[in-house]
Amino acid sequence: AKQHEHPLHCHYQPSMMTTSIEQTRLTADLKRAIDNHEFEVYYQPIIDLHHNKACGAEALVRWHSPTRGLVPPNDFIPLAEDSGMIIEIGHQILHQACMQTYDQIQKGHWPTDFLLHVNLSVCQLLQTGFLAQLETVLAETKLPAKNLTLEVTESRLVTQPLLTTQILKEIQSLGIHIAIDDFGTGYSSLAYLNQLPFNSLKIDRSFINQMMVTENYSAIVTAVISIAHNFQADTVAEGVETAEQATKLKQLGCRYAQGFYYAQPKPMSEWSTETVNKSGK
Ligand code: C2E
Ligand code: CA
Ligand code: CA
Ligand code: CA
C-alpha cells in the first residue's frame, strides 16, 4: 500500500503520538494478529421498520487476541489507522464479511437482497488501487455489488473533500451503496452534503438517545430524515435500545433501525433464520 501518494496519509507519525510501552506492544500484537487472521466479523441486524424484519446487517470487527482476550474495535482501530495497519485489517474484514454473506445467501439463510454494511476507514478509501481491490474481493467472494453497502464516517471525509467525493462516486458506479456513518456529529456543512454521493444516512446514536428526553433532538432527527428524503436516500437509526424509541422512529418516518433493542452484534455461528425473521419487533 502506498498511501504516501495521497496528501492524507495514515502512517504513524512519532511526533503526533506519544509512544509508550503499551502502544509498542499493541502495534506488535496487531501485526501478529494480521498474520494469524485473529479478526472475526460480528453481525448486528438492521431492521426494516416497514416490514418489522431484519433486511441486512452491519459487520463489526472483533479481535480474538491470544493474550488480551476479545478486544473491541475502539481499543485497536485508532492505532490501526494511525499505523496504516487498517489497510490490511480492513481488507481481511471485507473479505470475510463478503464471503460469509454470500455463503448465507447461497444456503437460503439470508434473502438474495440482503444488505451487508461494512465500515470503511478513510485511509482504506484513499489507498492507491482501492477500487481494483474492491472489485477483486467481490469477484473472489462472488457477492453481488448490490448486496454491499460501505459505511464512511462523515467527519473523516472532510479532510479530503474532492478526492473522497470522486472515489465514492467510483465505488457507487460499481453498484455498491454508500452510507454516511454517525451523521450529524461532524462539522461538515449541508452544502458539502450536496456534493457527497450517498444512498443512506445513519443517524448517530447520541440523537436517538436524547430524542425521547429533549424535544430539540426529536427535531434534529426529523430534519435528518427530511434531508435524506430530499436526496432520495434512506435513513438508518443507530443505537435503538427501547420500544419507545422504535415507535417514535416509525412515527417520524425512519425506514431502518439497529440497536440492542433488536439484537446485539453476534458471530455468524450464532445467527439463525430466526434472527432474520424474529429480530423485528
Ligand atoms: P459504529 O460504526 O458507529 O458502530 C456502531 C457501534 O455501536 C458498535 O460498537 C455497536 O456494537 C454499537 N451498538 C449497536 N447498537 C447499540 C445500542 O443499542 N446501544 C449502544 N450503546 N451501542 C450500540 P462496536 O462494535 O464496539 O464498534 C465501535 C466502532 O468501531 C464502530 O462504530 C466503528 O466506528 C468501528 N468499527 C467497528 N468495526 C469496524 C471495521 O470493521 N472497520 C472499521 N474501520 N471500523 C470499525
Ligand atoms: Ca458503522
Ligand atoms: Ca455509527
Ligand atoms: Ca460511531
Side-chain angles (χ1 to χ4, degrees):
K2 295 187 211 143
Q3 302 94 322
H4 62 267
E5 287 176 8
H6 292 292
L8 180 136
H9 44 95
C10 306
H11 276 304
Y12 176 65
Q13 289 177 302
S15 58
M16 289 174 64
M17 201 192 258
T18 45
T19 30
S20 65
I21 291 170
E22 168 50 19
Q23 240 159 35
T24 311
R25 232 181 243 150
L26 187 58
T27 306
D29 284 0
L30 266 181
K31 281 201 182 109
R32 255 193 309 271
I34 292 171
D35 293 340
N36 299 338
H37 293 261
E38 289 169 8
F39 304 101
E40 184 178 15
V41 175
Y42 276 41
Y43 298 85
Q44 184 179 41
I46 296 174
I47 313 303
D48 182 342
L49 295 174
H50 285 181
H51 305 108
N52 281 326
K53 65 188 262 190
C55 58
E58 177 175 4
L60 294 157
V61 67
R62 301 290 181 262
W63 172 20
H64 292 281
S65 162
T67 51
R68 296 163 187 269
L70 192 67
V71 189
N74 287 334
D75 290 2
F76 66 91
I77 295 284
L79 181 73
E81 287 181 337
D82 286 335
S83 61
M85 285 188 282
I86 191 67
I87 305 241
E88 186 49 39
I89 296 172
H91 181 256
Q92 288 188 12
I93 294 162
L94 184 68
H95 199 278
Q96 189 181 130
C98 290
M99 195 173 67
Q100 292 184 330
T101 299
Y102 177 74
D103 188 50
Q104 290 293 98
I105 294 172
Q106 276 306 98
K107 288 175 174 157
H109 297 164
W110 286 356
T112 52
D113 57 356
F114 193 87
L115 301 167
L116 168 69
H117 282 235
V118 179
N119 291 286
L120 194 69
S121 157
V122 170
C123 310
Q124 285 175 272
L125 192 79
L126 293 176
Q127 130 202 211
T128 311
F130 176 66
L131 241 78
Q133 199 187 80
L134 202 52
E135 286 187 278
T136 305
V137 170
L138 290 179
E140 280 172 1
T141 63
K142 303 200 208 92
L143 185 75
K146 68 169 169 67
N147 291 104
L148 182 62
T149 296
L150 294 176
E151 297 192 0
V152 286
T153 303
E154 175 207 4
S155 57
R156 299 304 208 90
L157 292 174
V158 293
T159 46
Q160 288 284 311
L162 294 177
L163 191 54
T164 45
T165 298
Q166 183 208 320
I167 298 168
L168 290 177
K169 282 194 180 131
E170 289 175 53
I171 293 175
Q172 275 186 328
S173 72
L174 297 178
I176 296 167
H177 283 184
I178 303 292
I180 306 299
D181 208 352
D182 302 344
F183 184 73
T185 59
Y187 295 98
S188 62
S189 69
L190 292 174
Y192 174 53
L193 193 63
N194 195 30
Q195 290 155 33
L196 205 60
F198 63 92
N199 304 90
S200 55
L201 296 179
K202 297 196 78 174
I203 312 172
D204 193 68
R205 184 168 79 225
S206 57
F207 299 121
I208 306 306
N209 219 321
Q210 289 296 313
M211 186 178 66
M212 310 308 291
V213 187
T214 319
E215 207 33 57
N216 287 346
Y217 279 89
S218 172
I220 292 173
V221 173
T222 306
V224 173
I225 293 168
S226 161
I227 289 168
H229 283 169
N230 281 298
F231 282 93
Q232 272 95 46
D234 283 313
T235 41
V236 186
E238 293 191 302
V240 177
E241 293 179 351
T242 68
E244 291 72 30
Q245 289 169 343
T247 306
K248 176 101 182 183
L249 286 165
K250 279 185 202 175
Q251 283 166 0
L252 298 179
C254 182
R255 179 72 196 267
Y256 302 101
Q258 64 185 109
F260 297 163
Y261 170 62
Y262 301 104
Q264 298 269 344
K266 52 186 156 185
M268 188 59 80
S269 57
E270 286 172 31
W271 268 69
S272 60
T273 333
E274 287 83 79
T275 307
V276 179
N277 295 323
K278 291 182 189 158
S279 50
K281 292 194 179 176

